[in-house]
Amino acid sequence: MFNRKSIRVFLADRHPQFLDGFTRLFRFKPVEFTGQARTLDDLMDGLHIFRPDLLITAHRLQDAEASQFLPLVRERYPRVKILLFTMNCQKEVLTSHIQYLDGMLCKSAQRSDIWEAIVEITRRNAQFYRLDGNGHGGKNH
């Protein structure tokens, strides 16, 4: 269906409605959603099994904070790109986790911003940071 290789994405969030809704947003884009997790164990198992190109994760899972799981993911799966997709879009969150991230985006972002972040991070090997949902904020390449 797509002439370009699909981007393999794994989702992690404690809210099942987010996980379900997110996969529908990009059903006509070259994205393959390989799996999803709500807990730290499911996240680590899923990354091991599916080896995605990109992890899109919330700031919190059901049983772990980003400060707990981001270092583990980066250490065990250094080739997996990480996009923090969160309601907690404060500069302090970014600065405390930036060494583990390839991007950060607010959950209030537009669909086009999310797609831009996915492409920048996975296909252009660039970093993507946007601290608000209105198309403004820092964006680094």
Side-chain angles (χ1 to χ4, degrees), residues 16 31 58 66 98-99 102 135:
V31 175
I98 197 162
Q99 70 267 29
D102 298 287

Side-chain angles (χ1 to χ4, degrees), residues 96-116:
S96 66
H97 301 303
I98 197 162
Q99 70 267 29
Y100 308 113
L101 301 177
D102 298 287
M104 180 171 154
L105 195 60
C106 294
K107 284 187 176 178
S108 59
Q110 301 294 314
R111 182 186 331 191
S112 60
D113 292 331
I114 301 166
W115 178 244
E116 182 181 359

Side-chain angles (χ1 to χ4, degrees), residues 10-57:
F10 192 88
L11 298 172
D13 195 297
R14 63 188 170 154
H15 300 290
Q17 65 273 20
F18 166 77
L19 296 170
D20 294 339
F22 201 91
T23 57
R24 282 182 255 139
L25 280 177
F26 299 107
R27 65 181 172 263
F28 299 114
K29 298 283 188 187
V31 175
E32 176 189 350
F33 290 99
T34 60
Q36 50 187 245
R38 295 174 61 193
T39 66
L40 178 57
D41 285 343
D42 290 344
L43 171 61
M44 300 310 285
D45 289 347
L47 293 175
H48 177 74
I49 293 167
F50 296 110
R51 304 291 176 149
D53 302 311
L54 177 67
L55 166 64
I56 299 177
T57 184

Side-chain angles (χ1 to χ4, degrees), residues 8 24 38 59 63 103 120:
R8 295 174 43 83
R24 282 182 255 139
R38 295 174 61 193
H59 190 246
D63 59 352
E120 288 294 318

Side-chain angles (χ1 to χ4, degrees), residues 69-102:
F69 65 82
L70 288 176
L72 288 172
V73 171
R74 184 55 74 209
E75 178 184 325
R76 293 184 189 171
Y77 305 100
R79 292 185 179 188
V80 174
K81 304 290 186 174
I82 302 172
L83 174 63
L84 184 63
F85 194 61
T86 180
M87 292 298 292
N88 196 0
C89 285
Q90 299 168 356
K91 189 174 184 177
E92 296 79 26
V93 172
L94 174 61
T95 57
S96 66
H97 301 303
I98 197 162
Q99 70 267 29
Y100 308 113
L101 301 177
D102 298 287

